[in-house]
Amino acid sequence: MKKLSLILLLLVTLCVSCGNDEPNYNKTEITRPKDGNGKVFLEKGQLVTANIDYTAEQLNNALDNYNWKREYGIYYDNKSVSDRQADVLYMPSSIFSGRKMVYLKNISGNREVRSIETKGKLLLASVDVDPTSSTFYPIDEYIVVALDLEDNGGRMVMDYKLHREITDFDISSSYVRMVWKGTVAQ
């Protein structure tokens, strides 16, 4: 009887500890607000004032004269918006003046640098072609949703359409939204 009780206790412990081990995105079920009228949504669908009517000249100025560091990201789909996420996997972490976008490839600090160019409100990030390599890298497209520039810095809000599944988000309409802090390049 003692052995049976011990086995049952182990089974209960095992069942309790084998819950969902995936990250908790703190998803908020809401009718996702839409960007517009000088506002964009951020974490939990909170609307904030932002310049969504920036010009191509302002975007080019931001890429040529500012350094950008990703502050945080959020995941969203047509129905819900996550809380702030400090680590947004497989996304760029910095943009340097001179139009270089840096991706951290792994936790050991290996980086990949991509060149960026603009096409309307899109940032196109591409790997510099190595003529000796047969490896093909697709161009990543980021939508610059809002751009607020000041003399000493700024904020940029950028979206990326996800091509991988995020727990509890609809893959057909899921995006990551990144909020960037800019400082004037020296």
Side-chain angles (χ1 to χ4, degrees):
M1 189 67 163
K2 243 180 159 180
K3 284 184 181 179
L4 183 59
S5 295
L6 184 59
I7 291 172
L8 284 173
L9 179 63
L10 287 173
L11 282 173
V12 168
T13 304
L14 182 63
C15 290
V16 169
S17 66
C18 288
N20 185 0
D21 293 334
E22 294 187 30
N24 179 1
Y25 296 109
N26 298 321
K27 183 174 151 179
T28 304
E29 286 291 334
I30 59 170
T31 301
R32 180 178 58 81
K34 300 226 183 298
D35 300 322
N37 296 324
K39 303 243 184 221
V40 296
F41 70 89
L42 297 180
E43 69 268 14
K44 296 181 182 177
Q46 171 191 8
L47 287 170
V48 297
T49 302
N51 179 16
I52 59 175
D53 295 319
Y54 62 88
T55 65
E57 182 180 323
Q58 288 171 317
L59 180 56
N60 287 320
N61 177 41
L63 296 173
D64 293 335
N65 299 304
Y66 291 74
N67 292 320
W68 297 91
K69 181 171 174 52
R70 188 185 70 224
E71 287 190 297
Y72 65 92
I74 60 170
Y75 294 104
Y76 72 91
D77 61 18
N78 285 338
K79 295 179 186 168
S80 51
V81 181
S82 76
D83 239 345
R84 284 184 181 214
Q85 306 294 308
D87 294 319
V88 184
L89 300 175
Y90 312 112
M91 292 292 115
S93 58
S94 331
I95 301 172
F96 293 108
S97 63
R99 300 177 185 237
K100 295 296 181 182
M101 186 176 272
V102 178
Y103 295 70
L104 287 179
K105 292 176 77 173
N106 56 39
I107 58 174
S108 67
N110 289 340
R111 330 180 302 163
E112 178 178 276
V113 178
R114 295 187 179 194
S115 298
I116 53 177
E117 61 183 80
T118 61
K119 182 178 180 183
K121 290 193 172 201
L122 294 179
L123 292 185
L124 307 174
S126 58
V127 174
D128 294 335
V129 177
D130 177 358
T132 63
S133 173
S134 62
T135 304
F136 171 77
Y137 295 96
I139 295 173
D140 284 339
E141 290 186 2
Y142 300 91
I143 304 162
V144 179
V145 179
L147 179 63
D148 296 289
L149 295 176
E150 299 173 5
D151 290 338
N152 59 350
R155 178 183 65 189
M156 182 166 41
V157 178
M158 189 170 20
D159 282 357
Y160 180 78
K161 171 71 175 109
L162 290 173
H163 305 290
R164 61 185 167 82
E165 194 167 331
I166 299 292
T167 304
D168 296 330
F169 286 88
D170 176 18
I171 186 70
S172 67
S173 65
S174 60
Y175 285 79
V176 62
R177 176 163 283 189
M178 294 168 278
V179 178
W180 299 76
K181 180 179 174 97
T183 56
V184 177
Q186 302 298 323

